[in-house]
Amino acid sequence: MSTPFTPAKAQRAVELLASRPLVRLVTEIDDNGAIPPRRLAGTLPDLSTPQLRSASDMARTHGLIRIAPGTGLELTEAGTELASLYDAMARWARRHAVPAPACEFSSRIRHVLALLAPSLITERADGADAGLARLRTLLIQWLADNLQVTRVSEPEPVA
């Protein structure tokens, strides 16, 4: 499977998807349903207010969540698919005890994304086990379906 990702686009996508606040927000909504915006801080008390704001803004900007009247923040189809991808990554990482036998879910996601990042700009994943190669294929497909995640911000013009 060929990859349409430049090094900058791949890096941008991996940085975004590996963001701990984003991982926490997407998986919390996936596991427990919509979160009223006013309950966000109580639902994710391990994240600061700026982290919560940034994660929810980032997730809305990239089409991963939306505000549903009467219920709150809910996953879009892209967000639900990302949550499934996160689950698959975490299962692989648990099975291989990486980055450690016992660690936080988001650490597992970040570790797998770091393993996959170099292969996003090559034609194949050299030396990867079958499970990791499958995750690469799933990630590339998700990114191809959600190209907005790979967009690199243009620098602001200097006045």
Side-chain angles (χ1 to χ4, degrees), residues 31-64:
D31 289 347
N32 298 304
I35 303 172
R38 292 183 180 192
R39 292 214 174 135
L40 203 51
T43 303
L44 299 166
D46 56 316
L47 299 177
S48 69
T49 300
Q51 287 176 316
L52 290 170
R53 187 174 300 117
S54 175
S56 62
D57 289 348
M58 188 180 348
R60 277 197 311 270
T61 298
H62 294 293
L64 304 175

Short mmCIF file of all heavy atoms in Angstrom, two decimals, residues 31-64:
data_model
loop_
_atom_site.label_atom_id
_atom_site.label_comp_id
_atom_site.label_asym_id
_atom_site.label_seq_id
_atom_site.Cartn_x
_atom_site.Cartn_y
_atom_site.Cartn_z
N ASP A 31 -15.83 5.07 25.48
CA ASP A 31 -16.16 4.11 26.55
C ASP A 31 -17.46 4.44 27.28
O ASP A 31 -18.20 3.55 27.68
CB ASP A 31 -15.04 4.07 27.59
CG ASP A 31 -13.78 3.40 27.07
OD1 ASP A 31 -13.83 2.75 26.00
OD2 ASP A 31 -12.73 3.55 27.72
N ASN A 32 -17.75 5.75 27.46
CA ASN A 32 -18.85 6.14 28.35
C ASN A 32 -19.92 7.01 27.72
O ASN A 32 -20.84 7.43 28.41
CB ASN A 32 -18.29 6.82 29.59
CG ASN A 32 -17.39 5.88 30.36
OD1 ASN A 32 -17.81 4.80 30.75
ND2 ASN A 32 -16.15 6.26 30.55
N GLY A 33 -19.79 7.34 26.46
CA GLY A 33 -20.80 8.15 25.79
C GLY A 33 -20.52 9.63 25.89
O GLY A 33 -19.49 10.06 26.41
N ALA A 34 -21.45 10.41 25.36
CA ALA A 34 -21.30 11.87 25.27
C ALA A 34 -21.03 12.49 26.64
O ALA A 34 -21.52 12.01 27.67
CB ALA A 34 -22.55 12.48 24.66
N ILE A 35 -20.24 13.56 26.61
CA ILE A 35 -19.89 14.29 27.84
C ILE A 35 -20.41 15.72 27.71
O ILE A 35 -20.02 16.43 26.79
CB ILE A 35 -18.36 14.34 28.06
CG1 ILE A 35 -17.75 12.94 28.11
CG2 ILE A 35 -18.04 15.13 29.33
CD1 ILE A 35 -16.23 12.95 28.12
N PRO A 36 -21.27 16.14 28.64
CA PRO A 36 -21.68 17.55 28.63
C PRO A 36 -20.45 18.42 28.83
O PRO A 36 -19.60 18.11 29.69
CB PRO A 36 -22.64 17.66 29.81
CG PRO A 36 -23.10 16.26 30.06
CD PRO A 36 -21.95 15.38 29.69
N PRO A 37 -20.29 19.51 28.05
CA PRO A 37 -19.09 20.34 28.17
C PRO A 37 -18.80 20.80 29.60
O PRO A 37 -17.65 20.88 30.00
CB PRO A 37 -19.39 21.54 27.26
CG PRO A 37 -20.32 20.97 26.23
CD PRO A 37 -21.16 19.97 26.98
N ARG A 38 -19.83 21.06 30.37
CA ARG A 38 -19.61 21.51 31.75
C ARG A 38 -19.12 20.40 32.67
O ARG A 38 -18.67 20.67 33.79
CB ARG A 38 -20.88 22.13 32.32
CG ARG A 38 -21.21 23.42 31.62
CD ARG A 38 -22.40 24.07 32.19
NE ARG A 38 -22.65 25.29 31.46
CZ ARG A 38 -23.46 26.23 31.82
NH1 ARG A 38 -24.14 26.10 32.93
NH2 ARG A 38 -23.63 27.29 31.09
N ARG A 39 -19.23 19.17 32.24
CA ARG A 39 -18.77 18.04 33.06
C ARG A 39 -17.40 17.52 32.61
O ARG A 39 -16.92 16.53 33.15
CB ARG A 39 -19.79 16.91 32.99
CG ARG A 39 -21.08 17.27 33.67
CD ARG A 39 -21.68 16.07 34.32
NE ARG A 39 -22.84 16.46 35.08
CZ ARG A 39 -23.97 15.81 35.06
NH1 ARG A 39 -24.10 14.74 34.32
NH2 ARG A 39 -24.98 16.22 35.79
N LEU A 40 -16.82 18.15 31.63
CA LEU A 40 -15.55 17.69 31.08
C LEU A 40 -14.46 17.62 32.14
O LEU A 40 -13.77 16.61 32.26
CB LEU A 40 -15.14 18.60 29.92
CG LEU A 40 -14.20 18.05 28.88
CD1 LEU A 40 -14.65 16.72 28.32
CD2 LEU A 40 -14.02 19.05 27.76
N ALA A 41 -14.31 18.68 32.93
CA ALA A 41 -13.26 18.71 33.96
C ALA A 41 -13.48 17.63 35.02
O ALA A 41 -12.52 17.02 35.49
CB ALA A 41 -13.20 20.09 34.61
N GLY A 42 -14.72 17.38 35.38
CA GLY A 42 -15.00 16.33 36.37
C GLY A 42 -14.84 14.93 35.80
O GLY A 42 -14.50 14.00 36.52
N THR A 43 -15.05 14.78 34.51
CA THR A 43 -14.92 13.48 33.86
C THR A 43 -13.45 13.12 33.63
O THR A 43 -13.08 11.96 33.73
CB THR A 43 -15.68 13.48 32.52
OG1 THR A 43 -17.05 13.83 32.78
CG2 THR A 43 -15.62 12.14 31.84
N LEU A 44 -12.65 14.13 33.32
CA LEU A 44 -11.22 13.91 33.06
C LEU A 44 -10.39 14.77 34.02
O LEU A 44 -9.70 15.70 33.61
CB LEU A 44 -10.90 14.26 31.60
CG LEU A 44 -11.63 13.42 30.55
CD1 LEU A 44 -11.51 14.05 29.18
CD2 LEU A 44 -11.11 12.00 30.55
N PRO A 45 -10.45 14.47 35.33
CA PRO A 45 -9.80 15.33 36.32
C PRO A 45 -8.27 15.35 36.24
O PRO A 45 -7.64 16.24 36.80
CB PRO A 45 -10.27 14.76 37.66
CG PRO A 45 -10.58 13.33 37.36
CD PRO A 45 -11.10 13.32 35.94
N ASP A 46 -7.69 14.39 35.53
CA ASP A 46 -6.23 14.34 35.40
C ASP A 46 -5.71 15.33 34.35
O ASP A 46 -4.50 15.49 34.21
CB ASP A 46 -5.76 12.93 35.07
CG ASP A 46 -6.42 12.38 33.81
OD1 ASP A 46 -7.65 12.55 33.66
OD2 ASP A 46 -5.73 11.77 32.98
N LEU A 47 -6.63 15.99 33.63
CA LEU A 47 -6.23 16.97 32.62
C LEU A 47 -6.56 18.37 33.11
O LEU A 47 -7.62 18.59 33.69
CB LEU A 47 -6.95 16.70 31.29
CG LEU A 47 -6.68 15.34 30.64
CD1 LEU A 47 -7.51 15.20 29.38
CD2 LEU A 47 -5.21 15.15 30.35
N SER A 48 -5.66 19.30 32.85
CA SER A 48 -5.89 20.69 33.25
C SER A 48 -6.93 21.33 32.33
O SER A 48 -7.22 20.82 31.24
CB SER A 48 -4.58 21.48 33.16
OG SER A 48 -4.19 21.62 31.80
N THR A 49 -7.47 22.46 32.75
CA THR A 49 -8.45 23.18 31.93
C THR A 49 -7.87 23.54 30.56
O THR A 49 -8.54 23.31 29.55
CB THR A 49 -8.96 24.43 32.68
OG1 THR A 49 -9.58 23.99 33.90
CG2 THR A 49 -9.95 25.21 31.84
N PRO A 50 -6.64 24.06 30.48
CA PRO A 50 -6.09 24.35 29.15
C PRO A 50 -5.93 23.08 28.29
O PRO A 50 -6.15 23.11 27.08
CB PRO A 50 -4.73 24.98 29.43
CG PRO A 50 -4.85 25.55 30.81
CD PRO A 50 -5.78 24.61 31.54
N GLN A 51 -5.55 21.96 28.91
CA GLN A 51 -5.43 20.70 28.16
C GLN A 51 -6.79 20.26 27.63
O GLN A 51 -6.90 19.81 26.49
CB GLN A 51 -4.83 19.60 29.03
CG GLN A 51 -3.37 19.75 29.32
CD GLN A 51 -2.87 18.68 30.27
OE1 GLN A 51 -3.52 18.37 31.28
NE2 GLN A 51 -1.72 18.11 29.96
N LEU A 52 -7.81 20.37 28.46
CA LEU A 52 -9.16 19.98 28.05
C LEU A 52 -9.65 20.86 26.91
O LEU A 52 -10.21 20.36 25.92
CB LEU A 52 -10.13 20.07 29.23
CG LEU A 52 -9.95 19.03 30.32
CD1 LEU A 52 -10.79 19.38 31.54
CD2 LEU A 52 -10.33 17.65 29.79
N ARG A 53 -9.45 22.15 27.05
CA ARG A 53 -9.88 23.08 26.01
C ARG A 53 -9.15 22.79 24.70
O ARG A 53 -9.75 22.72 23.63
CB ARG A 53 -9.64 24.52 26.46
CG ARG A 53 -10.21 25.56 25.50
CD ARG A 53 -10.09 26.97 26.04
NE ARG A 53 -10.81 27.13 27.30
CZ ARG A 53 -10.23 27.43 28.47
NH1 ARG A 53 -8.94 27.64 28.54
NH2 ARG A 53 -10.96 27.55 29.56
N SER A 54 -7.84 22.61 24.79
CA SER A 54 -7.04 22.34 23.60
C SER A 54 -7.47 21.02 22.94
O SER A 54 -7.62 20.95 21.72
CB SER A 54 -5.56 22.28 23.98
OG SER A 54 -4.79 21.91 22.87
N ALA A 55 -7.66 19.98 23.75
CA ALA A 55 -8.06 18.67 23.20
C ALA A 55 -9.42 18.74 22.54
O ALA A 55 -9.62 18.20 21.44
CB ALA A 55 -8.05 17.61 24.29
N SER A 56 -10.38 19.40 23.17
CA SER A 56 -11.72 19.47 22.58
C SER A 56 -11.71 20.34 21.33
O SER A 56 -12.35 20.01 20.33
CB SER A 56 -12.77 19.91 23.59
OG SER A 56 -12.50 21.20 24.08
N ASP A 57 -10.96 21.45 21.35
CA ASP A 57 -10.85 22.29 20.16
C ASP A 57 -10.19 21.53 19.02
O ASP A 57 -10.64 21.57 17.87
CB ASP A 57 -10.04 23.56 20.45
CG ASP A 57 -10.78 24.55 21.33
OD1 ASP A 57 -12.01 24.39 21.54
OD2 ASP A 57 -10.13 25.50 21.82
N MET A 58 -9.11 20.82 19.34
CA MET A 58 -8.38 20.04 18.35
C MET A 58 -9.28 18.94 17.76
O MET A 58 -9.33 18.75 16.55
CB MET A 58 -7.15 19.41 19.03
CG MET A 58 -6.19 18.74 18.11
SD MET A 58 -4.73 17.99 18.93
CE MET A 58 -4.72 18.60 20.58
N ALA A 59 -10.00 18.26 18.63
CA ALA A 59 -10.87 17.17 18.18
C ALA A 59 -12.01 17.70 17.30
O ALA A 59 -12.37 17.08 16.29
CB ALA A 59 -11.43 16.41 19.38
N ARG A 60 -12.57 18.85 17.65
CA ARG A 60 -13.63 19.44 16.80
C ARG A 60 -13.06 19.92 15.48
O ARG A 60 -13.64 19.67 14.42
CB ARG A 60 -14.32 20.60 17.54
CG ARG A 60 -15.40 20.13 18.49
CD ARG A 60 -16.34 21.24 18.91
NE ARG A 60 -15.68 22.45 19.36
CZ ARG A 60 -15.33 22.71 20.62
NH1 ARG A 60 -15.61 21.85 21.57
NH2 ARG A 60 -14.73 23.83 20.95
N THR A 61 -11.92 20.58 15.52
CA THR A 61 -11.28 21.09 14.30
C THR A 61 -11.00 19.97 13.31
O THR A 61 -11.15 20.14 12.11
CB THR A 61 -9.96 21.83 14.65
OG1 THR A 61 -10.28 22.94 15.47
CG2 THR A 61 -9.22 22.27 13.41
N HIS A 62 -10.60 18.83 13.80
CA HIS A 62 -10.23 17.71 12.94
C HIS A 62 -11.38 16.72 12.72
O HIS A 62 -11.17 15.63 12.18
CB HIS A 62 -9.00 17.01 13.48
CG HIS A 62 -7.78 17.89 13.43
ND1 HIS A 62 -7.21 18.29 12.25
CD2 HIS A 62 -7.07 18.49 14.40
CE1 HIS A 62 -6.19 19.09 12.49
NE2 HIS A 62 -6.09 19.22 13.81
N GLY A 63 -12.57 17.11 13.13
CA GLY A 63 -13.75 16.30 12.84
C GLY A 63 -13.87 15.01 13.62
O GLY A 63 -14.51 14.06 13.18
N LEU A 64 -13.30 14.98 14.84
CA LEU A 64 -13.35 13.77 15.65
C LEU A 64 -14.50 13.78 16.65
O LEU A 64 -14.99 12.71 17.04
CB LEU A 64 -12.02 13.58 16.40
CG LEU A 64 -10.78 13.54 15.50
CD1 LEU A 64 -9.52 13.48 16.34
CD2 LEU A 64 -10.86 12.38 14.52
#
